Amino acid sequence: MNTTNTEERDLERIVTEIVRDVVERSEELTVPVEMSARHVHLTAGDVEALFGKGAELTFKRSLSLPGFLAEERVSIVTAKGSFKNVAVLGPVRGHTQVELSATDAFSLGIRPPVNISGDYTGAEDVYLVGPRGMICAENSAIIAQAHIHMSPEEAVQMGFANRDIVKAELLGTRTLTMNNVMVRVDPGMHAMMHIDMDEANASGYEGVKKAVIRK
Ligand SMILES: [Zn+2]
């Protein structure tokens, strides 16, 4: 038996496997990932109720996708707990929406559903407190379902349609495969996955901020 030949064959096999793995990886669909901490979207009426008659949201900085972070902040209050200094995102919307992580919801003692933004089925009520008033934001609190934004052009390139459900491998120190991630195709958007703080922490995505998408 010739040991060298056996070793060479082993090496050849290993090299072939590595090359195949590299080729497969390079063909994978990768998108950037952003974490959304707890935040609130408000109606124009609720902005006035919280910040005073005639008040409008003040632009602080742009977000990476259309929309902005406002200077204004609110508190979220329930019978069990509260969060102060919560970010408000503009522009105003047709329905006030409070986006929490499951851990936030636990602290507040509520059980919001995991919904796509804009779906208020089963959404929880919370109180919102601003410097000039307080409201009960009924049917407003949800845990945002992880989703991937993309433009119609990117959707065609990557072979996705609006509301497709995909798997996403969140690359990080504790790489995590997520199921039930929704593709959201809108003009003016670009490829970007949005996850909440629980999902970000579970994957250890800091420093990588990328996900591999699988159909
Ligand atoms: Zn999003």
Side-chain angles (χ1 to χ4, degrees):
M1 178 179 162
N2 187 326
T3 319
T4 310
N5 277 348
T6 308
E7 281 175 3
E8 277 176 9
R9 273 202 299 277
D10 279 348
L11 188 65
E12 221 168 273
R13 182 178 55 75
I14 290 166
V15 168
T16 308
E17 278 176 14
I18 289 173
V19 167
R20 189 166 55 218
D21 192 49
V22 167
V23 169
E24 277 174 7
R25 289 234 147 219
S26 68
E27 287 169 358
E28 283 174 335
L29 291 169
T30 305
V31 294
V33 182
E34 264 184 353
M35 188 266 291
S36 304
R38 76 180 75 98
H39 65 272
V40 171
H41 300 273
L42 297 171
T43 62
D46 286 349
V47 170
E48 288 200 284
L50 295 166
F51 299 99
K53 189 120 191 75
E56 289 182 7
L57 293 178
T58 317
F59 177 93
K60 183 172 185 186
R61 69 172 167 78
S62 302
L63 304 173
S64 60
L65 290 172
F68 63 90
L69 173 67
E71 296 279 0
E72 288 76 13
R73 298 261 162 173
V74 294
S75 294
I76 301 172
V77 182
T78 64
K80 289 265 181 68
S82 65
F83 291 114
K84 288 179 182 164
N85 209 32
V86 176
V88 177
L89 302 188
V92 291
R93 290 192 177 179
H95 193 294
T96 287
Q97 178 169 308
V98 176
E99 293 185 40
L100 302 168
S101 69
T103 304
D104 292 340
F106 184 81
S107 303
L108 294 172
I110 56 173
R111 298 289 297 270
V114 177
N115 283 3
I116 273 291
S117 179
D119 176 4
Y120 304 103
T121 313
E124 286 272 18
D125 304 343
V126 294
Y127 285 90
L128 297 180
V129 183
R132 303 289 296 276
M134 181 175 90
I135 57 167
C136 179
E138 288 176 0
N139 204 227
S140 66
I142 62 166
I143 297 168
Q145 183 179 345
H147 54 275
I148 303 163
H149 295 284
M150 58 183 74
S151 68
E153 296 75 23
E154 287 168 326
V156 170
Q157 271 169 22
M158 294 192 247
F160 293 117
N162 192 34
R163 301 184 74 81
D164 273 357
I165 297 293
V166 299
K167 285 183 209 271
E169 193 180 352
L170 279 178
L171 305 177
T173 53
R174 301 190 284 179
T175 292
L176 173 77
T177 301
M178 294 182 62
N179 294 300
N180 207 20
V181 176
M182 189 180 279
V183 172
R184 299 181 56 191
V185 182
D186 291 294
M189 292 294 187
H190 58 81
M192 176 72 74
M193 180 170 180
H194 277 160
I195 56 174
D196 71 18
M197 193 178 275
D198 284 352
E199 294 157 341
N201 287 339
S203 66
Y205 94 130
E206 227 17 83
V208 188
K209 298 188 176 177
K210 277 184 187 167
V212 175
I213 309 307
R214 299 204 170 85
K215 292 180 192 187

